[in-house]
Amino acid sequence: MNVLAICGSLRAASINRVLLHAAIRLSPPGMETVMSPDIGKLPLYNPDLEHCVPDQVARFRSQVAASQALLIASPEYAHGVTGTLKNALDWLVSFEPFANKPVALLNASPRAHHADAALREILKTMSAELVEAASITVPLIGSSLTEDEIATHPEISIAIASALLELQASTIHCISHKA
């Protein structure tokens, strides 16, 4: 099973990026999770370009199409989803392979509930299959934990690994119902 991890932050030291890298390490057997290249390099969404999609967008869409599920972590800015993540999702709105794609959300801050709610609404509107049991909040803001410390933390690593198992089980269930 292939999972594409998408970080909604452009910061090199983003706790969301660190969280996703730890999740990649905690992926269960049978699940290969890879980090999407920087979505900040995608051009701004322009519907006029749908007939001639830019190369960066074509590569991103190809990664999404090749994955059985998505794992998204993103910070909250001004009570909303980051512009970077929203732009990436806008490029997927009319992209048929995205429809009914299982998606899990990792939230690194309990205070980021506005962005989490907005992201859920966006994904539901886009016909994503939001996997609630795999969408968790991991209170990392202010912790300064490294990828290694997250991946080996007794409670946090178990929560992430359990969420990934839920994503895996849900995705297998979705795939078997489509067949």
Side-chain angles (χ1 to χ4, degrees):
M1 171 184 165
N2 298 320
V3 176
L4 182 64
I6 300 173
C7 183
S9 177
L10 297 178
R11 292 184 61 227
S14 164
I15 192 67
N16 290 282
R17 188 172 313 284
V18 171
L19 175 57
L20 286 172
H21 281 291
I24 289 168
R25 289 176 51 183
L26 293 167
S27 293
M31 178 187 282
E32 181 183 354
T33 307
V34 297
M35 184 68 81
S36 173
D38 187 359
I39 60 173
K41 293 188 169 121
L42 295 174
L44 290 176
Y45 177 71
N46 181 345
D48 291 339
L49 298 177
E50 283 293 338
H51 70 282
C52 184
V53 175
D55 289 343
Q56 303 97 313
V57 174
R59 282 191 295 277
F60 176 61
R61 284 180 170 181
S62 177
Q63 287 182 313
V64 169
S67 67
Q68 280 81 46
L70 301 179
L71 181 63
I72 300 174
S74 182
E76 177 174 291
Y77 289 129
H79 283 189
V81 177
T82 66
T84 304
L85 181 58
K86 180 65 171 87
N87 183 58
L89 292 174
D90 285 346
W91 280 111
L92 299 175
V93 167
S94 62
F95 185 58
E96 193 171 322
F98 180 79
N100 302 309
K101 180 86 60 183
V103 178
L105 305 177
L106 296 181
N107 184 351
S109 172
R111 296 182 313 205
H113 58 91
H114 295 287
D116 188 62
L119 182 53
R120 289 167 183 272
E121 180 62 25
I122 291 165
L123 291 167
K124 286 176 187 172
T125 301
M126 294 174 62
S127 298
E129 183 66 39
L130 189 59
V131 182
E132 291 292 346
S135 298
I136 62 170
T137 297
V138 182
L140 296 176
I141 296 298
S143 70
S144 301
L145 291 175
T146 66
E147 176 186 330
D148 287 337
E149 291 168 330
I150 293 169
T152 59
H153 190 281
E155 292 92 21
I156 295 171
S157 65
I158 289 171
I160 295 168
S162 295
L164 293 172
L165 284 170
E166 291 288 345
L167 179 61
Q168 186 178 46
S170 175
T171 302
I172 291 168
H173 178 75
C174 286
I175 290 170
S176 66
H177 276 3
K178 289 177 186 176

